[in-house]
Amino acid sequence: MPLTNQRFLLASRPQGPATRENFDLVEDPAPEPQDGQALVAVEYLSLDPAMRGWMNEARSYVPPVGIGEVMRAGAVGRVVESRNAQLAEGEHVAGMFGMQRYALTDGRGVQRIDPALAPMPTWLGALGMPGMTAYFGLLEVGRPVEGDTVVVSGAAGAVGGLVGQIAKIKGARVIGIAGGPEKCATVVDELGFDACIDYKAGDVARGLREHCPKGIDVYFDNVGGEILEACLARLALHARVVICGAISQYNATEPPKLGNYLSLLVNRASMTGIIVFDWADRYAEGGRQMVQWLAEGRITAREDVVEGFETFPETLQMLFSGQNNGKLVLKV
Ligand SMILES: NC(=O)c1ccc[n+]([C@@H]2O[C@H](COP(=O)([O-])OP(=O)(O)OC[C@H]3O[C@@H](n4cnc5c(N)ncnc54)[C@H](OP(=O)(O)O)[C@@H]3O)[C@@H](O)[C@H]2O)c1
């Protein structure tokens, strides 16, 4: 019986939020691997805020997804047919397999994963790209030391939740910023942050004054916009601001404004953008440490798994409305 593939192709470039109209869902037979290739049955797909940016025509750190191409997506799955000497049938793998049920690979950029070590969705979260972003972004650029005050936005999310936990391991006082009382309770009670500011309840600046009386030594920014502005206004001397993402701006049609940047001058502070791929040659090191912290119970991995490949466009929106709690993963 030939296997049937389903693929989401980018049909048009969204203006504002991406909707189902921006994609074509096509069905065709799964491709046959040629010499050197393997066929992967995708089991879980990573839904990432960055996907929205990849749909834009603009120049970025990766080329845009072309119109008519399979939507770019990270995923984990199982090799079901192989003509590649490095990939055996039955092996579990992670890679940029795209928003489809079956993917051909020549093995480049594919990582073997062990479901006995952690459940498959965790390989898209704490042991995957968000884990590496949190680990290297915080430790290499944020560089927290014992006693520092570290503030993390998107604190209940995939990257933010891990950043705060790693900062606690390094002996920092950690203040999260998240939307709503439930998420803030999770951030404090389950992830062990010292406090969490509910930005939807109102005044972030007042929360920062209360929880960061000596200012912010490290601000790990996942959201940009007004929350970034409030944090800039509260920096301590020699603070490090890590620009990881700006989800509040991804659907905007106007460029963002930055009003408080002179706080960097006054405080001799730095603001540095990061791209996780720059640490690709050190993922093995970061992965080993994250596996160890997970095994020791020092890090909690949280995934929000939604079932149904066909729901991709609507499920992606959960990231922008804040409906996800932890790393958002689509089960095929
Ligand atoms: N630079 C890199 O290499 C790299 C790698 C991975 C991720 N990132 C970036 O890291 C950030 C977090 O990604 P993630 O995968 O961990 O996603 P996530 O935090 O799991 O999910 C996104 C969260 O953003 C929050 N959010 C949405 N709209 C917002 C708004 N207008 N203002 C404030 N918060 C808002 C929501 O939480 P609330 O309910 O709390 O609002 C939502 O749950 C994103 O900006 C992403 O682009 C960067």
Side-chain angles (χ1 to χ4, degrees):
M1 270 281 283
L3 300 165
T4 302
N5 200 6
Q6 277 189 316
R7 308 180 290 151
F8 274 99
L9 311 181
L10 185 65
S12 59
R13 301 205 180 278
Q15 304 294 320
T19 66
R20 184 161 283 270
E21 284 63 51
N22 298 118
F23 301 97
D24 285 330
L25 177 57
V26 299
E27 197 169 298
D28 41 24
E32 293 274 332
Q34 304 300 305
D35 274 348
Q37 292 183 322
L39 185 69
V40 175
V42 171
E43 295 179 353
Y44 295 90
L45 285 148
S46 179
L47 297 193
D48 293 289
M51 289 171 136
R52 178 61 193 83
W54 299 339
M55 297 173 203
N56 291 339
E57 185 66 71
R59 176 183 161 270
S60 187
Y61 59 95
V62 285
V65 177
I67 299 296
E69 284 178 8
V70 176
M71 182 59 209
R72 182 181 295 139
V76 290
R78 202 167 43 86
V79 177
V80 288
E81 216 184 318
S82 182
R83 295 177 66 182
N84 177 303
Q86 310 303 319
L87 295 171
E89 281 172 25
E91 261 184 335
H92 290 86
V93 287
M96 294 302 283
F97 297 132
M99 202 40 71
Q100 53 188 345
R101 289 178 183 270
Y102 291 95
L104 274 183
T105 175
D106 61 7
R108 269 182 298 179
V110 169
Q111 178 203 355
R112 259 185 219 91
I113 58 175
D114 182 356
L117 223 46
M120 293 288 273
T122 305
W123 291 95
L124 294 175
L127 299 182
M129 190 269 289
M132 296 303 98
T133 307
Y135 182 85
F136 290 109
L138 178 70
L139 298 182
E140 296 290 319
V141 180
R143 301 186 305 279
V145 297
E146 197 151 347
D148 270 357
T149 296
V150 173
V151 173
V152 187
S153 54
V159 175
L162 294 166
V163 168
Q165 294 184 81
I166 298 170
K168 283 302 295 180
I169 291 172
K170 296 294 171 186
R173 267 187 72 244
V174 181
I175 313 301
I177 303 176
E182 291 85 9
K183 281 197 179 181
C184 283
T186 303
V187 164
V188 174
D189 300 339
E190 281 184 41
L191 304 184
F193 287 40
D194 295 283
C196 185
I197 299 167
D198 175 3
Y199 75 90
K200 288 187 177 163
D203 198 345
V204 173
R206 197 178 59 207
L208 291 171
R209 278 197 301 279
E210 181 189 334
H211 294 294
C212 313
K214 296 184 190 153
I216 301 170
D217 299 298
V218 178
Y219 172 49
F220 195 102
D221 187 25
N222 286 310
V223 305
E226 287 172 15
I227 293 175
L228 170 60
E229 289 289 330
C231 290
L232 284 176
R234 191 81 205 145
L235 295 183
L237 204 60
H238 304 304
R240 284 84 66 200
V241 177
V242 183
I243 302 293
C244 174
I247 191 165
S248 74
Q249 306 301 309
Y250 293 170
N251 288 316
T253 44
E254 296 290 318
K257 295 188 175 59
L258 196 57
N260 288 338
Y261 82 95
L262 283 180
S263 175
L264 298 170
L265 181 155
V266 174
N267 293 298
R268 292 75 142 181
S270 68
M271 183 152 98
T272 310
I274 61 158
I275 295 291
V276 63
F277 306 136
D278 293 346
W279 288 288
D281 60 350
R282 292 178 61 193
Y283 286 171
E285 167 199 336
R288 271 194 303 277
Q289 181 62 82
M290 294 298 281
V291 166
Q292 189 189 334
W293 281 336
L294 276 176
E296 293 170 351
R298 300 181 81 188
I299 284 214
T300 301
R302 291 164 64 249
E303 297 95 26
D304 191 340
V305 180
V306 175
E307 292 218 17
F309 176 77
E310 318 74 33
T311 69
F312 158 60
E314 292 76 26
T315 306
L316 181 66
Q317 264 324 106
M318 289 172 65
L319 293 167
F320 298 92
S321 55
Q323 284 167 281
N324 66 309
N325 225 317
K327 169 65 201 162
L328 186 60
V329 172
L330 194 60
K331 186 173 191 299
V332 173

